[in-house]
Every structure is written in structure tokens, then in C-alpha cells.
């Protein structure tokens, strides 16, 4: 069979796994770009389905624990909505209804028999990025050659989520190789943005972004080596969290660039509220994952750090620093508006806000790129080759096999181990320097502490048209620095407010090109988000400070309304 | 100037830095092999010098805090003894009396003026492996080409130790490249073993091992990427601790194999008692080193973990597992006797002792070797080349430029980054597998927990003759697995007890060769030590369990006397 036939056969197996009665027959035409509210009117979802799927994770967990809803009911409601999301944006890969409902039934029986929940996530459906293995199910990450490789066992994270009572119920789409900030592959095709289907969902956790935005899942797990959780979270307007390396167990997932030990991909949650993010993070750590994944740091959830022991113990005002522009490519007007709203909200809440002075952004960016590129091409070609499928060289709908000179694509030849070590030495030095740069802000904050949290863009634009997400600088620097980073939605592009401003001076040719890309009509309705950046291994404090920022934003928004 | 002249000039600067009145004129002849007790009779040390230098770290800290001794007095006493140790074993590199005594004077003045100590290590002299930079002082690590490179600033650890009140006072000898388990280089020459100068001190922290054994320093800092703290600690009969990666700050040291991010060298303490080890470790963490070194994990000293929260809370008996033999090269009779004594001591103390089943020792060993060898030769040659000095290929006194086919030396050609990634992937898988292997011991311990601590050899022999330390297997596996490992001295080789046993079956040719090496007379008086191995990032528990093992051993030894 040709690789095209193998891919088509797999896609048809996917279609067969969906019950016909869950398919909507009133889908909007492909010319309808904004379909974010379609599920409410789809006729497939009952009022109860809508009530359930529009609840926050905290509410769901409480209503599941009190038996207001059964796990079977909640799982079914989310399945129905996930299938609609899939019809609208093509966000799913694996759908395994029997397995999930049987798990949900077990949880219901357990609760009924014992009066006890199984764990902190009892009955909660969870979607998983395609690479996270579930026993008996494929994880292709968009490689035709990996079709038919059914996982022999669960990833450690899946075992842990199940031990917490969660119900894994779908897997979600990714780009071939995972190393793209958009979502397209030769098996499952392209995932689109539910706020505007002419725009990308982002990637590589793009299926998660689209699915969660449409409330087809209350909580999803993505992975991030250069922005792959944060970019789809931002582009699709959901909360997303990239923890530091080696806190959430990665063992038992399939992956790309395996053995690249210097910049690690990390797993993290996406959800429609911060309580979803916190429930996931605290729940997973409560299971002491270092007993199952040798790379996970033995560090328990710290309630002290969550109570901001290192940031004035919640008794004092915080000092936030905003990075308006990385000095390489200036963000579009909506991104700037999002940052301005955040500044206003934080000042109104009594906090201090100063400007962040970016440090060696170009060098950091080129260093992380060089580490990936040391052997990325060999890695991709080795994975793609067995089926005859070519490695995809562009995410542009009109030019999938042409090299679009995207900066984050690898060079075509690898380097020696010695050359790689020299780059990794540079990486270490940059991390030390950046730490010093951050520590030295204690001189200007007025709190006696260095800046508590950096706030910045996720990209120099909101979700761009397919094939045009070419700039990973705003996320990749934090991967090299291994900083935890939370994405929070702030607003949406509005043609009236986000007008194009005249500019005559540019940082670079890339900056000019990006400026020229902007046109409010193109980006209509795209979510505007911010990124909150904390210190390495300081997840608890970042979650706490994200709650403070989120509440401040909600407070000024309710004032405006 | 030739590299030989440059080296000779540096050596003569070293000699000039020693006050003539501290030199002993009654040195034993070079034929006197055991000189461990010479300092007591050297005539250079006063009764007060002897009292001070034979105190434990805990006693010293208490006597310094109470002003029983001044910091100047303590520093001077250790200097005098360190110089004797150097005359006997050639253990020092840098000697900077003025700087250290001026620091000690500052501490004395501070205590007198304020009534307060500067920190937890107030007034304690500390020796540092040559690679740990002190502003204005060279760090050559035995490369002639690095002579004249005076450090622009302190290593982070030096700043932290000084902020704790410690007094760095000498730097200690290492092998050229640091990647040898013995100590010889073309600048400073060879460090010998104070228990038997025909034997190696071990390496690469061999200067520390010899110095501390002779009580020329109460506390030293070495580094360990494959055994470099543990081997000299074991061979010289002192306590030594190799922590997990990224808990003790390494930033600001010079090093070899820089940029090799997969198996990291770590800094750790050597001392004559466990209280020295604990004081160092707890003290350094109290300064929150993650604010100064971007690689240090944000994890405070945990009193809970020190109280064995994960091991029955000190209320229950522990289960120790002894690795008698790694299945590759069987240990010599004295090593076996050390393990047998330990077993007896632990059983007498009411604990459980089972046999450890080694897991894939050959594969783990070959994987860590392959990661170093990916580019080690290029690294060494790049460092050695500028002076014209050749890279040393053997530690044997008669064959320094011949390749002795020592297993831990790198292959001569490097590999590609892609090939390195495949080996690193293998490393990760081995770590996961070994964790599972350890966890599964919960089935056989009877405590409900997996084995609490593994106890094993540091090498298949006690300190061997110079040039014959060819086997790093017993230490290197724990570096790949990133387990914290503590060395404890148990006894000394005794010709009457440690007779050669007949053996006719061997694991391998290496095993046979090692068997043939043994002869009680050759190893006379060499220290016998054991290695205690815990879980990654579990330093606090390893220190606590080491105290338990050490006390048990002392209890049966005092019974025997």
C-alpha cells in the first residue's frame, strides 16, 4: 500500500469510531469562519449536556463527587460536544468510547458502593495530545509510518490520571514531527481555529486548543518544547500552562527528537479556567510521580510556595514587569492592547507594574534553535521514511512540500557531538546570565525582591492565517531558560479598537514583514492572550500569581460592562 | 617557553607560597609508605594545632562560635597541617595564606564586635578542588595551557561558603582533564595515598582525599561525574558525598566536557565525619542557591525527608540491600569483608539486610562511557593544545604517554549529534527501567516499602598501586542513574584477615585480571569503605540513613575492642 492509502485507511477507521447519532447534521458551511458558539445550537446537545460542558472543572469535580452527575453522564456529554468540535475544526485523532465509558461506569459503581471518590479528579473526562500513550491505542503523531503501532502500556501520566479518577476519552491532533506551531499532518489533516477558521489553531498541541475552546473537553494535556502548549492556548483563547522540565511525568509517551537531553519537552494542562490547571497540577504531584518516572524531580506540591512564601506571603503588593516587545519583532496592536489592559488591571488591584528589559533575546532564540537543529532533520527523516511519506516542509495550504524558510525548521545537515556541546555550553551561560539579569531587578522594584512575574506576548500576533505562524521567539526563549509560563486569555481582536498604526522604523526585515501582515479584518475575532513567566521550578507561585492576574482582569472587565 | 618550562615556573611559584617555618624538616623517607600518623610527630604542630586539627567539624563550629578558638587560630593550625600533608603526598595546588588569614581576621572581628557568627560555617577552613574558582587565583585543572588564567570572580559556591562564614584556604590536586580516577598532571605531579604511598589516592578529587585523610582540612569540596568524589574518599578512608545533579551550585567553576548536558558533574563534600557532610549540605541549601545558579533545583533542605518521611519516619526498621558483586568484576576480599561487617552491624542494630540484585550493570556502564566518549577526545585536545603539552594517556608511572587500554578513556573519534541522541535515549530508558527494578523490591522487603538504601563497593578493590585503577564500574552506574551516594570508611586491609581465596570461575577476563591483582601485601593498610546509594534528589534521607549505618558500624567496632 502507498502511504496515502495507509493514511486514508486510518482516517476511515477514525470516522467509524464515531456514533452516527452524535454527528450534527446542521453544520455551518465552511465559509462560516467563527463557529465558537455553534455547539449551543447544534441540536445534538441536550440542555443537560450544555450545563455540564459549560461548567468549570471545579464545579464538575464537586458535582461528580456529590453524585449530582454520574461519570457516565459527564463523559457522554463531553464526547458529544467533542465530536461536534471535531466536525467543526478537525481536532481529534483517537476516539475510544467503549474504553472511556467502561472506565466511567467503574467510577460510578465505586462511588456508589464505597461512598468515596477514587481520587481528586474523579469522573473528569480528560483529552490527551496524540503522543500520550494509552494501552491498545495508536499514537502516530502524524507519521504514516507509525500507523498500526498500538501502545503496549499506558504512559505514566495516564496511569496517574486514572488513579486520580480521571477518564481519558479522546486524543487530539498534532503536526507531523510535533515540531511546528500549527497543526497539520498527512493522516488527519488540519485543525482550524474555532474563533476564525481561516486562522491556525496553533501547534503543536493544536487539537487540544481547538477542542477546549469549544468546550469539547474540560481539561486537556499538551506538551511544550518551544511553545506547543502556549501557542494553541493563546490562539484559541484558553488557559494553558508550561511547567518547568521534569515535574510532570513524560515517561511512556512517544516523541520527536528523543535523546535530545538539553532542552526537554514538558507536559502540561490546558483548560477553560485556572482551577482546571491547578487541579491537574496538584493532583498529579500528589501521586509522587518520581516513583514511576526516573526524571521527575522529587518535589512535593508546596502549599508554602503557593502561598507566595518567596513573594511577600500574599501580604504585600507584587511587582510585575511587562515585556512589551522583545526588540526583534514588535507585536501587533491587539497584543499591545492585551498587555495594556493587564497593566491597568494590576495597577487597579494595587500592584506595581514596571517595564521588563529584554535580555539577549536573539542569542537565546538562536541557541535553542541550534540545539534542535543539531540532528532534527535526521530524526524526522528516520521517523517518516519507512512509509515513503515525505517530511512536511511548510504548513501553508498551498505549499506543503516547499520550504517556506521558516526560522524554526532545522537546517538540513546535522553537526558533531562536540559542536553540540559548545552550543549547550552557551545555553548554560545564557541561563546563568539571564538569572543574574532577573535578580538584579531587585534594585528597581521597590519591593526588596526581584520582579515577581514577567508578563509578555506569546507571539507577535494573535492567531495568523494558516501557514503564516513563522515566529516562535516569544515562547522559545522561556524553554531555553526553563521558566514555567502560564497563558491567560484577555480579549479578542476588534476591528474598531485594534486599528493599524503607522510605523516607519523597524527592528529588522522580519519586523517589517510582521508589521505588513497586520490587518484587523484578517485577524477578526482572534483571541488575545498574555503569558505569565515565573522562575524555574516555581510552578506553585506561578499558579497563585496567575490567579491574582486573572482576578484583576476579570474585575476591570466587569467594571467596563 | 616550552610547556615544561611554564609548568616548572608555576610549580616554583607554588613552593614560594609556603612559609619556610611551616615546612617539616623531619620528613620520613620516600620508602616509608604509611605516613598517616606522621603529622602528630612532625614537630611543626603545637599541642593546640593538634587538638584543633583532630576535632570534628561539629566541635570546631561550636568552639569557633563560642570563641574558644579564633578563626585565625583554626585557619593557621589547618594550614600548618595541610603543608605537612602536601610534603607527604603532594596534595595541594593553590596556597593563598594572606587572603585566607585576612578573611579569618574579618570573621574574628565580626564575632567580637557583634557577638554573632557570620553564618553556619563561621571560621571553618575549607579546601577546594582545583577547578572551583576563587577570584584572582588560577584554576588549571592540570592543563599547562591554563596557567596564568586568574579567575575574574568566585564560583557561586565560594560566594555561598564565604557568606556562611567559611574560610577557603587551599586548592587541591587533580589529574589533567579531571577524567581519571587517579591524580597526576604535568604541573603539580602525583598525589599519593597517605595510608600507603605506593597506592593511588584515587581521583579526580585525589588531592582532597589525601589532604582530609591527613586532617590537613576539616572539610573539602570535590566533584563527581563518574566517581571522582567517592573513589578518593574510599581509597583515603574519609567520608564523601556525591549528591544528585543540580542541588549544589556548580556555576563559575572551570571544567572538562563542558556542554555535555546529559550526565552532569556534581560538587560535594569530603570530611572526616558525617557531621561535616551534613553541615556543608544543609548550610549551602540554606542560602537558596537557585538565586545564583540557574541550574540548581528550587528545593529547600527538607527536615521531613531527613526524618525519613519516605522510610518509615525513623519509627520502623529499615531494609538495606547489599550489592556484593556487580556480576562483571568481583571485589577483592577486603571489600567483601567491609560489606560483611556492615551487614552484621545493621542486623545487630535491628534492621533488615537483603541481597541487591544488580540490574544491567554492563549496559549502564557502556552507555555512560559512550556519552562521555562522544566528544571527549576533542574536548581534551582542545584544552591541552595551546601549550603543546600532550594529553596524558595513562596514569602509570612508567608509561604516561602510552595508551594502557583503560576502559574509561575515550575513543579517539567523536560521533554525530544524532548518534549521541540515540545513546542518550538509551540512557533515559535505562534510568526508567532501573527505577522500576528498585520499586519492585517492595514485594520482598517485608516493610511495605522498596529497599530503603543500597550498599555496595566503590570499586572492586581498595586503593590499588599507581596506574592500576582501571575499573570505574561500581561508581559510574550511579552517575548515569543520578543517585546520591555516600562513602563511609569501615576498616583497613589486614594481611591476616584478608587472605586471597582460591577462585576458578570468573565473570570475564577483566574479572580474572582483577583477581590476579590481589595480594594482601600489596594493599597493606589500604582503607576499606562502602558506598550507600539512595534515590535521586533524596540527599536528606541518604545523610540520615548514613548516620544510622555509621552508628551501627561504630557500635560493633566498640564491641569488638
Amino acid at each position: 500500500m502507498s502511504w496515502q492509502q495507509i493514511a486514508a485507511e486510518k482516517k476511515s477507521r477514525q470516522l467509524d469510531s464515531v456514533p452516527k447519532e452524535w454527528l450534527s447534521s446542521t453544520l455551518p458551511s465552511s465559509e462560516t469562519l467563527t463557529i465558537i458558539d455553534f455547539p449551543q445550537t447544534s441540536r445534538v446537545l441536550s440542555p443537560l449536556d450544555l450545563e455540564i460542558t459549560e461548567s468549570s472543572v471545579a464545579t464538575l469535580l464537586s458535582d461528580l463527587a456529590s453524585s449530582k452527575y454520574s461519570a457516565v453522564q459527564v463523559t457522554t456529554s463531553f464526547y458529544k460536544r467533542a465530536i461536534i468540535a471535531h466536525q467543526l475544526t478537525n481536532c481529534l485523532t483517537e476516539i475510544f468510547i467503549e474504553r472511556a465509558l467502561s472506565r466511567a461506569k467503574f467510577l460510578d459503581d465505586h462511588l456508589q458502593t464505597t461512598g468515596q471518590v477514587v481520587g481528586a479528579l474523579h469522573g473528569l473526562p480528560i483529552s490527551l495530545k496524540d503522543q500520550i500513550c494509552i494501552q491498545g491505542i495508536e499514537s502516530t503523531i502524524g507519521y504514516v509510518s507509525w500507523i498500526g503501532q498500538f501502545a503496549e502500556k499506558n504512559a505514566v501520566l495516564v496511569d496517574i490520571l486514572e488513579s486520580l479518577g480521571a477518564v481519558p476519552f479522546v486524543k487530539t491532533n498534532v503536526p507531523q514531527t510535533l515540531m511546528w506551531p500549527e497543526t497539520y499532518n498527512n493522516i488527519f489533516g488540519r485543525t482550524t481555529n474555532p474563533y476564525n477558521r481561516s486562522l491556525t489553531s496553533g501547534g503543536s498541541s493544536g487539537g487540544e486548543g481547538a477542542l477546549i475552546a469549544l468546550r469539547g473537553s474540560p481539561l486537556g494535556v499538551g506538551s511544550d518544547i518551544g511553545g506547543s502548549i502556549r501557542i494553541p492556548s493563546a490562539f484559541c483563547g484558553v488557559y494553558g500552562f508550561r511547567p518547568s522540565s521534569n515535574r510532570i511525568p513524560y515517561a511512556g509517551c512517544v516523541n520527536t527528537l528523543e535523546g535530545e537531553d538539553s532542552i526537554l519537552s514538558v507536559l502540561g494542562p490546558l483548560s477553560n479556567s485556572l482551577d482546571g490547571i491547578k487541579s491537574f497540577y496538584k493532583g498529579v504531584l500528589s501521586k509522587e510521580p518520581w516513583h514511576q518516572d526516573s526524571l521527575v524531580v522529587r518535589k512535593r506540591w508546596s502549599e508554602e510556595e503557593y502561598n507566595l512564601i518567596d513573594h511577600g506571603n500574599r501580604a504585600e503588593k507584587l511587582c510585575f514587569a511587562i515585556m512589551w516587545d522583545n526588540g526583534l519583532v514588535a507585536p501587533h496592536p491587539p497584543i499591545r492592547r492585551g498587555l495594556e489592559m493587564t497593566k491597568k488591571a494590576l495597577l487597579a488591584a494595587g500592584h506595581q507594574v514596571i517595564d521588563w528589559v529584554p535580555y539577549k533575546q536573539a542569542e537565546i532564540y538562536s541557541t535553542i534553535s541550534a540545539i534542535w537543529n543539531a540532528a532534527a532533520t535526521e530524526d524526522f527523516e528516520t521517523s517518516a521514511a519507512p512509509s515513503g511519506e515525505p517530511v512536511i516542509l511548510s504548513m501553508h495550504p498551498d505549499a506543503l512540500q516547499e520550504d517556506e524558510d521558516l526560522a524554526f525548521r532545522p537546517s538540513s545537515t546535522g553537526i558533531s557531538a562536540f559542536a553540540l556541546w559548545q552550543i549547550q555550553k552557551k545555553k548554560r551561560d545564557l541561563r546563568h546570565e539571564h538569572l543574574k539579569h532577573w535578580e538584579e531587578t531587585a534594585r528597581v522594584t521597590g519591593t526588596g525582591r526581584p520582579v515577581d512575574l514577567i508578563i509578555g506576548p506569546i507571539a507577535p500576533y494573535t492567531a495568523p492565517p494558516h501557514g503564516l505562524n513563522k515566529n516562535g521567539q516569544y515562547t522559545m526563549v522561556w524553554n531555553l531558560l526553563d521558566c514555567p509560563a502560564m497563558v491567560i486569555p484577555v480579549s479578542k481582536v476588534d476591528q474598531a479598537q485594534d486599528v493599524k498604526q503607522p510605523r516607519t522604523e523597524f527592528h529588522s526585515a522580519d519586523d517589517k514583514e510582521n508589521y505588513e501582515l497586520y490587518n484587523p479584518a484578517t485577524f477578526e475575532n482572534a483571541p488575545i492572550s498574555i503569558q505569565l513567566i515565573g522562575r524555574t521550578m516555581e510552578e506553585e507561585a506561578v499558579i497563585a500569581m496567575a490567579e491574582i492576574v486573572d482576578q484583576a482582569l476579570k474585575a476591570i472587565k466587569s467594571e467596563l460592562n
Side-chain angles (χ1 to χ4, degrees), chain A:
Chain A
M1 275 207 286
S2 70
W3 67 263
Q4 291 91 340
Q5 287 169 310
I6 296 167
E9 192 273 340
K10 168 68 188 165
K11 180 78 183 174
S12 94
R13 276 199 279 133
Q14 184 203 44
L15 293 176
D16 292 346
S17 66
V18 179
K20 299 299 164 280
E21 65 273 22
W22 290 353
L23 292 171
S24 170
S25 55
T26 62
L27 289 178
S29 84
S30 62
E31 279 151 40
T32 305
L33 298 180
T34 297
I35 47 74
I36 190 74
D37 296 326
F38 175 76
Q40 282 100 323
T41 61
S42 67
R43 299 190 205 163
V44 173
L45 302 176
S46 68
L48 179 60
D49 291 331
L50 287 171
E51 178 186 297
I52 287 171
T53 54
E54 292 182 13
S55 298
S56 73
V57 166
T59 304
L60 281 171
L61 289 173
S62 156
D63 289 346
L64 280 157
S66 69
S67 296
K68 179 180 171 189
Y69 308 137
S70 70
V72 167
Q73 175 63 58
V74 171
T75 303
T76 305
S77 297
F78 276 103
Y79 252 132
K80 289 163 73 177
R81 193 155 178 158
I83 298 301
I84 297 172
H86 184 55
Q87 288 182 279
L88 294 167
T89 64
N90 191 40
C91 55
L92 303 182
T93 59
E94 306 294 330
I95 301 159
F96 34 94
I97 297 167
E98 199 179 333
R99 184 188 192 285
L101 288 180
S102 137
R103 177 81 195 153
K105 178 73 170 46
F106 162 80
L107 295 166
D108 288 336
D109 291 348
H110 182 277
L111 180 53
Q112 200 167 11
T113 314
T114 66
Q116 302 288 321
V117 295
V118 162
L121 301 179
H122 185 97
L124 191 74
I126 291 194
S127 49
L128 302 171
K129 189 173 184 176
D130 192 66
Q131 70 183 124
I132 302 171
C133 293
I134 299 177
Q135 190 178 23
I137 294 172
E138 288 154 289
S139 284
T140 62
I141 64 166
Y143 282 124
V144 175
S145 56
W146 293 12
I147 291 172
Q149 294 178 9
F150 297 87
E152 285 175 20
K153 54 182 186 177
N154 286 343
V156 166
L157 183 65
V158 171
D159 278 343
I160 285 178
L161 290 173
E162 291 195 338
S163 74
L164 289 163
V167 182
F169 78 117
V170 289
K171 297 219 290 180
T172 55
N173 204 18
V174 296
Q176 185 211 46
T177 77
L178 300 182
M179 297 300 283
W180 283 103
E182 301 197 24
T183 297
Y184 172 84
N185 63 65
N186 290 320
I187 304 170
F188 300 106
R190 186 183 303 279
T191 301
T192 57
N193 191 313
Y195 281 92
N196 179 336
R197 292 193 287 180
S198 71
L199 307 176
T200 178
S201 62
S204 65
S205 314
E208 284 298 332
L211 177 66
I212 293 191
L214 282 159
R215 294 190 165 273
S217 166
L219 184 64
V221 186
S223 67
D224 192 317
I225 193 176
S228 282
I229 290 170
R230 290 164 288 159
I231 294 164
S233 296
F235 287 4
C236 297
V238 306
Y239 296 80
F241 188 36
R242 182 250 175 233
S244 307
S245 303
N246 297 330
R247 291 206 73 184
I248 301 296
Y250 212 116
C253 295
V254 296
N255 206 353
T256 205
L257 306 191
E258 288 209 292
E260 187 277 279
D261 269 1
S262 188
I263 307 279
L264 293 176
S265 174
V266 299
L267 299 181
L270 299 87
S271 189
N272 280 303
S273 59
L274 285 172
D275 62 72
I277 305 288
K278 186 184 169 192
S279 299
F280 170 89
Y281 199 79
K282 195 172 168 179
V284 172
L285 287 195
S286 76
K287 290 293 175 176
E288 304 188 350
W290 45 89
H291 290 291
Q292 294 174 69
D293 181 332
S294 64
L295 299 184
V296 172
V297 171
R298 179 183 288 263
K299 184 171 195 287
R300 293 176 164 81
W301 167 271
S302 166
E303 202 68 20
E304 273 191 330
E305 291 190 34
Y306 178 68
N307 284 321
L308 298 179
I309 184 177
D310 295 316
H311 301 272
N313 294 306
R314 289 187 189 260
E316 294 167 35
K317 69 175 181 183
L318 295 165
C319 180
F320 298 91
I322 295 183
M323 184 168 90
W324 300 94
D325 179 339
N326 65 1
L328 304 173
V329 173
H332 286 172
I335 302 293
R336 187 158 185 104
R337 180 165 65 84
L339 294 171
E340 278 162 357
M341 281 176 66
T342 308
K343 177 172 182 175
K344 195 174 159 189
L346 290 170
L347 291 173
H351 298 289
Q352 195 177 346
V353 182
I354 64 175
D355 293 343
W356 180 255
V357 181
Y359 185 82
K360 294 196 180 176
Q361 299 285 295
E363 261 185 82
I364 296 174
Y365 170 71
S366 66
T367 302
I368 178 172
S369 303
I371 290 171
W372 296 347
N373 293 351
T377 301
E378 281 159 286
D379 181 276
F380 301 159
E381 287 176 354
T382 302
S383 296
S387 71
E389 176 196 27
V391 174
I392 294 173
L393 298 177
S394 162
M395 289 277 122
H396 198 286
D398 304 329
L400 292 168
Q401 288 315 318
E402 284 172 39
D403 187 342
E404 290 282 298
D405 189 27
L406 301 186
F408 43 81
R409 296 313 289 167
S411 64
S412 58
T413 51
I415 62 176
S416 73
F418 186 66
L420 175 60
W421 288 2
Q422 306 321 301
I423 301 164
Q424 291 177 168
K425 181 179 171 184
K426 174 86 184 166
K427 179 202 87 164
R428 182 203 60 189
D429 293 344
L430 286 167
R431 280 190 58 167
H432 290 336
E433 287 174 38
H434 198 278
L435 176 63
K436 187 157 179 276
H437 179 72
W438 195 329
E439 289 288 328
E440 285 173 351
T441 61
R443 296 182 196 154
V444 297
T445 55
T447 60
R449 299 184 305 274
V451 161
D452 293 296
L453 197 76
I454 301 171
I455 300 177
I458 293 93
Y461 32 64
T462 55
H466 300 294
L468 297 182
N469 189 14
K470 298 184 184 188
N471 188 304
Q473 292 164 342
Y474 282 93
T475 49
M476 284 163 63
V477 289
W478 307 114
N479 293 84
L480 183 141
L481 299 169
D482 200 16
C483 294
M486 182 83 78
V487 169
I488 289 185
V490 175
S491 185
K492 286 188 285 179
V493 172
D494 177 79
Q495 296 199 40
Q497 289 186 81
D498 299 315
V499 296
K500 190 163 185 162
Q501 303 290 341
R503 272 181 79 194
T504 52
E505 291 191 9
F506 298 97
H507 301 313
S508 64
D510 284 350
D511 186 28
K512 185 155 185 281
E513 187 186 349
N514 185 57
Y515 171 77
E516 285 161 3
L517 174 67
Y518 188 62
N519 169 352
T522 306
F523 294 87
E524 178 67 18
N525 221 24
I528 299 170
S529 302
I530 55 170
Q531 180 176 204
L532 313 180
I533 298 128
R535 302 299 190 90
T536 309
M537 290 278 161
E538 199 187 31
E539 281 67 29
E540 292 89 332
V542 171
I543 292 171
M545 290 190 276
E547 289 167 351
I548 290 168
V549 175
D550 197 47
Q551 282 157 16
L553 279 163
K554 284 177 175 152
I556 62 155
K557 281 186 221 168
S558 69
E559 251 176 55
L560 292 174
N561 292 341

